[in-house]
Amino acid sequence: GNTWVQSQIDTNLGDYGGLNALFVTEEGDYIIAYYDSLLDNVKFARSTDDGTSWEISILYDGIDLEKGGATGIDLMGDTSGNYLATFYEQSGTNTIIFAKSKDKGVTWSNEVVASDVVATTLDLEIDKKENTLILYWDVNSHMSLAKETNTAPVISLPVVSSGLIPLVLGTIED
């Protein structure tokens, strides 16, 4: 058979850290998102050397395990090199959180996608138009899709044409 090499990523986890997601970027980096019940946060880890060493940062802070913790973590990279993550926070708010990092996981921006939902399983994808899609169960136990559309304003510049005859207003005298 094959030989399996194991490495420790984070040795300071609480007793409930089994919710995780793994993705390999186009550059070959291993990126991981996981819930740490000891510190009540979602962490991010990145390895640029095939899993030998790991850089760890906080993806989202302030989750309360006693109120439910976090579930359904999913993670991926987009074509621009950004890292995207989503998870369900049960700490009394029952919200789906979307997180994005533009600096290889050092810092993260977070936003609420949906509130008052039941989302034990999440799926995160990017469509051909670079829109972020999150698939989840809603509060009525229906399959639902949240779609973030790229709605950057379209800037129209005036068109300058050459070869036009200038129009002079006024009277012509003989």
Side-chain angles (χ1 to χ4, degrees):
N2 297 324
T3 301
W4 291 84
V5 178
Q6 298 181 20
S7 65
Q8 294 287 324
I9 298 166
D10 189 344
T11 58
N12 297 316
L13 292 173
D15 60 354
Y16 187 70
L19 303 168
N20 51 55
L22 167 67
F23 184 79
V24 180
T25 67
E26 290 183 11
E27 297 85 17
D29 297 348
Y30 300 173
I31 59 174
I32 299 171
Y34 56 99
Y35 175 56
D36 180 357
S37 66
L38 183 64
L39 298 176
D40 283 334
N41 57 34
V42 177
K43 288 185 175 177
F44 171 82
R46 176 176 170 242
S47 175
T48 58
D49 58 7
D50 296 329
T52 302
S53 62
W54 295 88
E55 302 164 1
I56 298 173
S57 63
I58 303 297
L59 191 149
Y60 186 83
D61 202 10
I63 296 173
D64 189 351
L65 176 62
E66 292 180 8
K67 292 182 180 177
T71 64
I73 298 171
D74 199 6
L75 176 71
M76 67 180 301
D78 68 12
T79 58
S80 300
N82 301 314
Y83 298 156
L84 313 173
T86 189
F87 61 92
Y88 176 57
E89 192 216 339
Q90 293 176 267
S91 299
T93 58
N94 296 337
T95 57
I96 295 174
I97 304 293
F98 172 73
K100 183 175 188 175
S101 176
K102 296 181 179 182
D103 58 7
K104 302 290 183 188
V106 176
T107 59
W108 292 85
S109 62
N110 298 290
E111 60 187 74
V112 174
V113 174
S115 297
D116 196 26
V117 295
V118 177
T120 56
T121 304
L122 298 173
D123 188 25
L124 178 65
E125 292 294 333
I126 301 289
D127 69 12
K128 290 182 181 183
K129 295 180 182 178
E130 295 292 316
N131 298 312
T132 304
L133 309 172
I134 301 173
L135 183 66
Y136 66 95
W137 291 97
D138 70 14
V139 73
N140 297 314
S141 297
H142 299 135
M143 182 75 63
S144 296
L145 178 71
K147 177 180 177 182
E148 177 193 45
T149 57
N150 293 318
T151 56
V154 177
I155 299 173
S156 299
L157 298 175
V159 177
V160 177
S161 300
S162 61
L164 297 177
I165 301 171
L167 176 63
V168 179
L169 298 177
T171 60
I172 300 176
E173 295 182 21
D174 296 314

